[in-house]
């Protein structure tokens, strides 16, 4: 009987720990994920901004690492710049969050949609890789410009607003560079 009770207690303790162990990655809110906020020009919440900016940086870095090995010329140079610039913004964003200036949770990995795009890139080579990478860069930087612009103009956290405003011109330059790759 004692074994049964102790076994039950052990199971209860283990089950109580499961929610913490299964703590989900932060996900953007439905209006942010669906693009409603972007369409309406509504600033993302601080958590949405941090999540999307961090995941975007991860995707930029991973896709550009692939491009740096699978391409040459203008595309390779662009990819190397994306790795450098997005690594820097990742470090700066992480510093704001871990330093306590921004109350948010950083994602530790890309979401399924971004992972899928990276997986698709991994399967391509040559001209099909370059076209997919170029298209991905234009779309990603349009999204990033919108995200950073909306947060810089109406975000909740002053430190993060300053980061978004400071980073925005670089993202706008990246978008122009990505569009030029397609020419």
């Amino acid at each position: 009987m004692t074994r049964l009770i102790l076994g039950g207690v052990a199971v209860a303790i283990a089950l109580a720990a499961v929610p913490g162990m299964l703590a989900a990655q932060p996900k953007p809110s439905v209006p942010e994920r669906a693009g409603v906020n972007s369409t309406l020009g509504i600033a993302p919440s601080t958590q949405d901004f941090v999540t999307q900016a961090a995941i975007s940086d991860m995707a930029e870095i991973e896709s550009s690492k692939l491009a740096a090995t699978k391409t040459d010329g203008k595309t390779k140079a662009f990819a190397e710049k994306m790795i450098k610039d997005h690594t820097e913004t990742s470090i700066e964003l992480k510093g704001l969050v871990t330093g306590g200036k921004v109350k948010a949770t950083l994602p530790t990995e890309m979401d399924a949609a971004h992972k899928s795009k990276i997986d698709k890139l991994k399967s391509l080579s040559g001209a099909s890789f370059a076209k997919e990478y170029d298209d991905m860069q234009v779309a990603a930087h349009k999204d990033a410009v919108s995200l950073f612009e909306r947060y810089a103009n109406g975000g909740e956290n002053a430190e993060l607003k300053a980061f978004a405003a400071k980073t925005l011109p670089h993202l706008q330059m990246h978008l122009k560079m990505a569009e030029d790759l397609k020419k």
Side-chain angles (χ1 to χ4, degrees), residues 14-170:
L15 288 175
V18 168
M21 292 175 358
L22 297 178
Q25 288 271 86
K27 292 181 184 173
S29 64
V30 172
E32 193 63 38
R33 205 170 45 239
V36 172
N37 286 354
S38 180
T39 301
L40 298 176
I42 297 170
S45 70
T46 294
Q47 182 61 62
D48 282 351
F49 178 83
V50 167
T51 299
Q52 297 218 159
I55 288 173
S56 176
D57 275 346
M58 287 181 226
E60 287 297 322
I61 293 165
E62 286 304 308
S63 65
S64 295
K65 283 179 180 177
L66 289 170
T69 62
K70 292 186 173 203
T71 63
D72 55 20
K74 286 183 352 182
T75 301
K76 182 175 182 154
F78 174 81
E80 289 169 348
K81 180 163 183 54
M82 294 307 98
I83 294 166
K84 178 186 173 294
D85 290 358
H86 286 280
T87 298
E88 289 172 3
T89 57
S90 289
I91 291 168
E92 190 171 352
L93 180 60
K94 184 177 181 180
L96 288 170
V97 173
T98 60
K101 293 182 178 184
V102 175
K103 303 291 184 224
T105 302
L106 284 164
T108 56
E109 61 184 28
M110 285 182 273
D111 58 10
H114 286 88
K115 284 180 186 176
S116 174
K117 291 175 186 177
I118 299 299
D119 288 342
K120 182 176 182 181
L121 278 178
K122 286 178 181 176
S123 71
L124 300 172
S125 61
S128 57
F129 175 89
K131 181 186 180 329
E132 186 68 28
Y133 176 74
D134 296 351
D135 290 347
M136 186 177 163
Q137 291 302 309
V138 170
H141 283 95
K142 282 181 180 178
D143 290 346
V145 165
S146 169
L147 179 74
F148 277 69
E149 202 167 58
R150 290 181 293 119
Y151 200 88
N153 291 331
E156 310 158 322
N157 180 287
E159 296 276 346
L160 204 52
K161 280 177 74 169
F163 166 76
K166 180 181 85 167
T167 307
L168 181 59
H170 298 282

